[in-house]
Amino acid sequence: VYVFELVHDEQTSLDIVQESFVNAARHLERLREDEKFGSWLFRIAHQKCLQHWRRRKPDEPFDETWSENLADEDFNPQEWLIHKEQEEEFVTLLNQLPWPQRSVLVLHCLEEFSLEEIAGICGLALGTVKSRLHYAKKTLRKLLLEQS
């Protein structure tokens, strides 16, 4: 989910995840005992996303397609439509954030990493993570107000 939220292309995100696992397998001996494997793997994926963003053309559009599993027995079309609309609005707003803010927000809110873990994943100081998260929330609030 994290990689897809940053690159917005299913095939590219799958490629990045695969590259991340291959890279992790090659360098497993570098994993320090005090590090969590999940955080370490997210750090590798984060770096791969950064590399992708640096190579990406500025005018390259995002693919905002989302797949839903509708096989649920309790499926309610009206609730699904409301949820889908809210999700699309959130994704639209999220895509307007600068990449550094978006990545921190996705790691914290969607992936539920602690601020300390995010600092480790992104290779940032804790204060920088807090600042980016603060500005991401501030920007989202502003965008929501402008939308209303």
Side-chain angles (χ1 to χ4, degrees):
V1 174
Y2 172 69
V3 173
F4 182 78
E5 288 294 330
L6 295 178
V7 298
H8 293 282
D9 180 71
E10 185 175 355
Q11 189 58 49
T12 302
S13 63
L14 290 173
D15 291 344
I16 290 173
V17 169
Q18 183 177 3
E19 288 174 25
S20 299
F21 275 104
V22 168
N23 198 340
R26 283 187 190 143
H27 303 287
L28 197 55
E29 74 280 352
R30 291 184 186 174
L31 179 65
R32 295 190 312 241
E33 290 182 31
D34 61 337
E35 287 184 303
K36 293 182 182 176
F37 178 76
S39 298
W40 183 66
L41 189 58
F42 264 84
R43 179 166 173 75
I44 293 169
H46 180 81
Q47 294 302 318
K48 295 288 182 191
C49 287
L50 278 174
Q51 291 169 3
H52 168 76
W53 271 80
R54 288 180 182 136
R55 290 188 310 256
R56 186 174 86 62
K57 297 174 186 162
D59 59 341
E60 196 174 295
F62 290 116
D63 178 12
E64 294 183 22
T65 58
W66 292 86
S67 61
E68 293 286 336
N69 182 2
L70 304 178
D72 189 2
E73 293 175 12
D74 298 326
F75 175 68
N76 179 326
Q78 184 177 6
E79 287 180 16
W80 180 82
L81 285 173
I82 291 170
H83 174 74
K84 185 73 173 161
E85 184 177 295
Q86 291 171 339
E87 182 181 271
E88 288 174 2
E89 288 174 13
F90 177 73
V91 169
T92 299
L93 295 175
L94 190 62
N95 285 338
Q96 293 178 43
L97 293 176
W99 192 85
Q101 291 177 10
R102 183 181 339 157
S103 64
V104 170
L105 187 71
V106 169
L107 283 171
H108 186 65
C109 296
L110 300 180
E111 300 295 338
E112 299 180 352
F113 279 103
S114 71
L115 298 178
E116 292 80 10
E117 289 172 318
I118 296 169
I121 290 168
C122 298
L124 300 169
L126 182 59
T128 304
V129 171
K130 289 178 181 179
S131 174
R132 287 183 181 177
L133 188 58
H134 167 77
Y135 284 107
K137 290 177 180 179
K138 185 177 177 179
T139 304
L140 277 177
R141 263 187 234 109
K142 180 183 175 192
L143 292 170
L144 275 169
L145 288 172
E146 289 173 358
Q147 192 176 33
S148 299

